[in-house]
Amino acid sequence: MEITYNIEQLPEVAEKILKVSSTKTLLFYGEMGAGKTTLIKELAKQLGSKDRVSSPTFSLVNEYQTENDYIYHFDFHRVEDEIEAYDIGFEEYLQDNHWIFIEWPDQIKNLLPEKKTKISIEKISNHTRKISISF
């Protein structure tokens, strides 16, 4: 599934992603500045989180609370090998049935679960993005 959108349409896009996703593990692919974190902010809002969402580039993981669930937001851009993901207990996060949002999943491709939703974001212009959703 592909969707082309602008920033004003972001709430509708996030709603659609949550509706079609068959899992609570979402992988975000795209170049730096494509809009991965911006989309994650909207997804967290749609899920009911009132927390301030930001990229966990240096901490590797941020935790956000919703009314009755948690969101774990990972950014593996700076990870040099999968051992770093093991060191923060990544596999333990996957054992719970909470939302998992992963930016730069290629850095830990051998650790990714079988059931996941892949979201690829392409920057078309300053205001337009195209996402491809696959399972």
Side-chain angles (χ1 to χ4, degrees):
M1 168 187 301
E2 288 188 353
I3 303 170
T4 301
Y5 65 97
N6 61 45
I7 196 74
E8 291 82 23
Q9 297 169 308
L10 198 56
E12 293 85 16
V13 170
E15 184 178 352
K16 180 77 168 179
I17 289 169
L18 293 173
K19 186 180 279 188
V20 302
S21 181
S22 59
T23 179
K24 292 172 98 176
T25 301
L26 280 62
L27 311 180
F28 296 85
Y29 297 86
E31 296 298 319
M32 190 76 71
K36 296 179 295 295
T37 303
T38 302
L39 178 55
I40 289 170
K41 285 179 185 182
E42 185 60 36
L43 288 164
K45 182 178 174 184
Q46 295 271 334
L47 290 169
S49 177
K50 296 184 183 347
D51 294 331
R52 185 180 187 283
V53 175
S54 62
S55 182
T57 303
F58 296 101
S59 63
L60 296 183
V61 62
N62 286 345
E63 178 182 311
Y64 316 119
Q65 190 168 3
T66 68
E67 191 171 307
N68 54 11
D69 205 349
Y70 290 93
I71 301 167
Y72 297 109
H73 176 192
F74 295 89
D75 184 330
F76 289 117
H77 183 256
R78 296 186 182 277
V79 168
E80 293 186 22
D81 60 49
E82 294 174 345
I83 293 171
E84 291 180 59
Y86 277 118
D87 288 346
I88 63 164
F90 178 71
E91 67 280 1
E92 293 171 28
Y93 287 99
L94 296 176
Q95 293 173 5
D96 295 329
N97 191 30
H98 299 296
W99 288 95
I100 308 270
F101 296 162
I102 304 173
E103 295 186 52
W104 304 99
D106 281 342
Q107 301 294 91
I108 59 153
K109 60 185 166 202
N110 294 318
L111 305 179
L112 296 173
E114 275 187 45
K115 294 183 180 182
K116 57 198 172 271
T117 299
K118 297 178 185 178
I119 300 167
S120 298
I121 305 173
E122 180 183 350
K123 183 177 179 180
I124 304 298
S125 71
N126 283 341
H127 302 288
T128 307
R129 303 291 188 269
K130 180 172 80 173
I131 62 169
S132 300
I133 304 168
S134 60
F135 309 97

